[in-house]
Amino acid sequence: MKNKRIQNRKAVTLTELMVTLLLSTVVVLALGSVLADSQKGWVDMYSRAYSDVVTDAYVSQKAFSAIVRKSSIIACELGTSNEYAQVYYYNDLSSTELDRYAKFYVSSGKLMMELGEFTVATFTPSSVLSTTTLASNVTSAVFDVKGASVQMFLDLDNNKEQLQVTCSAVRHNDGF
């Protein structure tokens, strides 16, 4: 038997196998890093859109606007350093005089809304009907009045997201 030559080779050499494994590893690592980065980006955007800071901002804006828009242009009180705002409004359509108040203030890092009744002659609260927490993680709140407009400036921070909220609403009722 003489040397037989193999004419049609059907096997893979070790060098070809190593090159293929190396290329496959590079492709898998590249795809893995792209998928991981995409997932991280999606989680970051989701937390920015639906975090407690964002939802608190929406709730506080809606409540502030709803109360201020139905309040009277006759009177509005601000704290000495604009740390709270108090507006007065009618309880319902059958009320003949202003009989309710709403006070917005910060207590222990929370934006609070206090609703109550007051004495018209002295504009002093007579009873508190409810106190509601509108937002948590409040670092500062400043209120201002310009004409019939009442403004609220909030800084919200939950150590992950920071948000500055500016809200303005115009008082529509004429008062007495």
Side-chain angles (χ1 to χ4, degrees), residues 48-115:
R48 285 184 193 159
Y50 296 105
S51 71
D52 56 346
V53 171
V54 175
T55 55
D56 284 350
Y58 283 123
V59 168
S60 58
Q61 283 179 328
K62 291 282 188 183
F64 182 80
S65 292
I67 294 292
V68 170
R69 288 177 193 278
K70 71 179 184 178
S71 66
S72 170
I73 61 173
I74 297 297
C76 178
E77 292 181 29
L78 291 176
T80 54
S81 58
N82 294 358
E83 73 275 7
Y84 75 86
Q86 186 166 316
V87 294
Y88 302 93
Y89 62 95
Y90 297 99
N91 181 32
D92 56 29
L93 293 175
S94 64
S95 297
T96 57
E97 58 186 20
L98 295 171
D99 54 357
R100 297 290 168 97
Y101 75 92
K103 181 177 182 180
F104 298 92
Y105 62 96
V106 174
S107 174
S108 301
K110 296 180 180 181
L111 178 64
M112 307 297 288
M113 178 178 70
E114 177 182 296
L115 302 176

Side-chain angles (χ1 to χ4, degrees), residues 108-145:
S108 301
K110 296 180 180 181
L111 178 64
M112 307 297 288
M113 178 178 70
E114 177 182 296
L115 302 176
E117 297 176 333
F118 74 98
T119 306
V120 177
T122 60
F123 276 90
T124 56
S126 58
S127 67
V128 175
L129 300 175
S130 68
T131 303
T132 306
T133 301
L134 297 178
S136 300
N137 304 313
V138 177
T139 57
S140 73
V142 177
F143 299 91
D144 199 10
V145 176

